[in-house]
Amino acid sequence: MTPASLTQEPQSVSSAVTRSAFFIVATINEDATSRAAVRAWCADVANLVRAVGKRVPGGNLSCVVGFSSDAWDKLFGEPRPAGLHPFREFGSGERKAIATPGDLIMHIRADQTDLCFELATQLMKRLEDAVVTVDEVHGFRNFDMRAMIGFVDGTENPEGDEAVHFTVIQDEDPEFAGGSYVLVQKYLHDMKGWNALPVEAQEHIIGRTKLQDIELDEDVKPSWSHSSLTTLDDAEGNEIKILRDNMPFGRPGQGEFGTYFIGYARDPQPIEQMLENMFVGLPPGNYDRLLDFSRAVTGGLFFVPSQPLLEALADRVPGAAPTIAVDNHKQTESEPAAAVSADGSLAIGSLKGAPRYE
Ligand code: HEM
C-alpha cells in the first residue's frame, strides 16, 4: 500500500521487525550479458517475494534491493539519484569505517529462516552467473531484540508515518520519489573485552541502561556515548532520524560475534554524519567507545528504487532517453553517458565537504 502522501510505492523499507534476516552483497560481472541479466531480474523480484511468501501466511517475507553508485551508472545510466555516491570512509587506523566492493544488496526479512533461505535461493538462481556474492550474512533475533553486545537495539527507531518521513524520498528528487538510501556495515566484536567491562561502563558507552533499556540522564550520559553521537538535530533543532534494522550474527565455534548494521534514510548525509561522529568524534577525538570493541569489516552505500521504478528498470537502456517508464524490452546496451569511477575509487577525504549538524 502506498501511504497517502506518497506518489510512488516504496519497496518494503519500513517492513515489520522480523526474527530473521539475510543480507547479500554482490558484484555484477563486467560484461553486457550480465548487466542485461541483472536488469531483467529487477522485474522478477516482486513476483518471487509473492510466490515464496504465499507458502507461509503471516511469515512477513520481504526483500529490499539496492544498487551502488558505480552499478547504477553501468546498469542504468542517466538520470541518476541525486544523493548516490560511493561509500565515504571515515576515521583512520584501527578505527575506520571502510568501503568494500558491492554493486547490489538484497535485504531479505522474514519471521522464519526457511523463508529467507528459499527467497535468497530463488533470487540467486535468477541471477545465475551474472553476479559474484562478496558478502552474505544470516542474522537472527536475539531474545528481546538484544544486539550481540546485550543491549536492546532499535528502541529509538521512527515508526509509521515518521519512518516514512525519514526514509522515503519525496519532492527533493521527484524522478526518484518513493526511493531511499541504505548504508550497511558488518561489524565484528571483541566479546571478551566487552564482557570484561562492568555493566555500568557498558551503559555509559551505549547511553542506556542494559536490563531495562532506559536512556541515561543527560548529566550521567557521556558526550562520547553511542546514543549522544548518533542523535542529530537539523538547523531548527528538530531531530533527524534514520531507520535501523540491525541484526546479530555469528559463529560461536569460530569465535565470530557480529552486528550487521543497516540504516535507511531519504538522504545518505545524516547516516554519514553519524559515522563521522562515531569514528572521528564530535569534536574530533571524542569518538564512540563502542568502536574500541567493534571493528567495521565491510561498508557500502546503495540506492533503493521505489517498487514501480525497480520493475521499470528492467527495461532501462543506459545512454537512451532519460525516461523511467519505458515500454520496449531491448536487451542491448551502450555504455552509460556518465560512468563514474569503479568501486575501488572512494571519496576519501570528502569529510571536509560534508554538512554538519550542530
Ligand atoms: C557495532 C554496531 C552497532 C551496535 C551494536 C549498535 C547498537 C545500538 C544500540 C544498543 C542502541 C540503543 C537502542 C536504540 O535506540 O536502538 C543504538 C542506538 C542508535 N544507533 Fe547504533 N549500533 C551500532 C552501529 C550504529 C551505526 C553505524 C549507526 C549510524 C551510522 C548507528 C545509529 C544509531 C542511532 C541513530 C541510534 C539511536 C540514538 C538515539 O536516538 O538515542 N548505530 N545502537
Side-chain angles (χ1 to χ4, degrees):
M1 283 284 289
T2 311
S5 58
L6 297 179
T7 51
Q8 297 289 346
E9 184 189 354
Q11 292 189 54
S12 40
V13 165
S14 49
S15 83
V17 173
T18 53
R19 298 192 158 273
S20 185
F22 281 23
F23 307 89
I24 299 178
V25 174
T27 53
I28 301 167
N29 294 331
E30 285 292 330
D31 58 290
T33 311
S34 296
R35 289 180 193 162
V38 173
R39 280 195 294 271
W41 174 86
C42 291
D44 292 340
V45 176
N47 290 336
L48 290 173
V49 175
R50 239 187 324 272
V52 175
K54 276 270 158 64
R55 293 170 60 185
V56 182
N60 280 327
L61 179 67
S62 67
C63 176
V64 174
V65 169
F67 301 95
S68 74
S69 177
D70 190 38
W72 183 276
D73 290 328
K74 287 179 176 166
L75 290 172
F76 312 120
E78 295 287 340
R80 72 193 312 286
L84 187 58
H85 52 250
F87 183 93
R88 292 186 174 143
E89 297 191 324
F90 294 96
S92 58
E94 288 284 287
R95 201 174 63 245
K96 187 167 181 185
I98 57 163
T100 48
D103 292 327
L104 178 68
I105 186 162
M106 288 164 245
H107 179 200
I108 301 172
R109 288 178 273 191
D111 280 324
Q112 299 182 190
T113 304
D114 53 3
L115 274 173
C116 293
F117 190 91
E118 177 63 12
L119 181 60
T121 305
Q122 296 297 335
L123 289 168
M124 293 309 296
K125 195 167 146 196
R126 295 283 171 110
L127 285 169
E128 285 190 324
D129 300 329
V131 302
V132 175
T133 300
V134 288
D135 191 38
E136 175 168 358
V137 170
H138 300 177
F140 60 91
R141 162 97 60 92
N142 190 26
F143 296 95
D144 49 341
M145 313 255 300
R146 300 273 158 178
M148 186 56 82
I149 53 166
F151 282 72
V152 174
D153 197 359
T155 315
E156 297 295 343
N157 261 336
E159 290 177 344
D161 287 349
E162 206 196 6
V164 171
H165 169 73
F166 284 117
T167 56
V168 182
I169 297 167
Q170 301 193 32
D171 295 344
E172 70 272 28
D173 193 6
E175 216 153 356
F176 294 96
S180 302
Y181 294 89
V182 64
L183 190 146
V184 295
Q185 288 180 300
K186 177 161 124 177
Y187 283 91
L188 297 178
H189 302 296
D190 164 16
M191 290 306 290
K192 248 191 202 154
W194 178 255
N195 288 331
L197 290 179
V199 167
E200 200 185 346
Q202 295 181 350
E203 291 179 335
H204 284 140
I205 290 175
I206 296 299
R208 305 184 74 90
T209 59
K210 190 168 185 182
L211 182 62
Q212 301 89 350
D213 183 32
I214 304 294
E215 191 174 353
L216 299 184
D217 287 341
E218 285 305 322
D219 54 343
V220 179
K221 189 162 71 167
S223 59
W224 41 261
S225 76
H226 183 62
S227 147
S228 307
L229 292 169
T230 56
T231 301
L232 301 181
D233 288 337
D234 66 16
E236 281 83 48
N238 305 311
E239 192 170 345
I240 302 178
K241 296 200 170 203
I242 64 169
L243 184 66
R244 295 161 289 129
D245 200 0
N246 302 351
M247 280 273 177
F249 68 90
R251 290 178 298 171
Q254 315 293 317
E256 182 189 83
F257 299 93
T259 297
Y260 201 88
F261 167 81
I262 183 157
Y264 288 97
R266 65 196 277 180
D267 185 321
Q269 201 280 333
I271 319 183
E272 290 168 344
Q273 185 67 57
M274 291 175 190
L275 284 182
E276 181 177 351
N277 294 353
M278 287 174 65
F279 283 80
V280 179
L282 184 69
N286 192 46
Y287 69 92
D288 189 332
R289 303 309 196 260
L290 184 53
L291 299 176
D292 290 342
F293 305 91
S294 318
R295 186 166 52 94
V297 294
T298 71
L301 174 69
F302 305 87
F303 173 69
V304 173
S306 69
Q307 189 60 46
L309 176 56
L310 178 65
E311 285 166 37
L313 286 173
D315 299 317
R316 185 75 84 84
V317 180
T323 153
I324 288 172
V326 291
D327 58 9
N328 56 329
H329 286 255
K330 286 182 201 155
Q331 290 293 305
T332 54
E333 80 168 8
S334 57
E335 281 307 303
V340 296
S341 55
D343 267 338
S345 157
L346 305 163
I348 301 169
S350 52
L351 251 171
K352 274 190 229 121
R356 284 170 184 279
Y357 294 82
E358 316 244 43

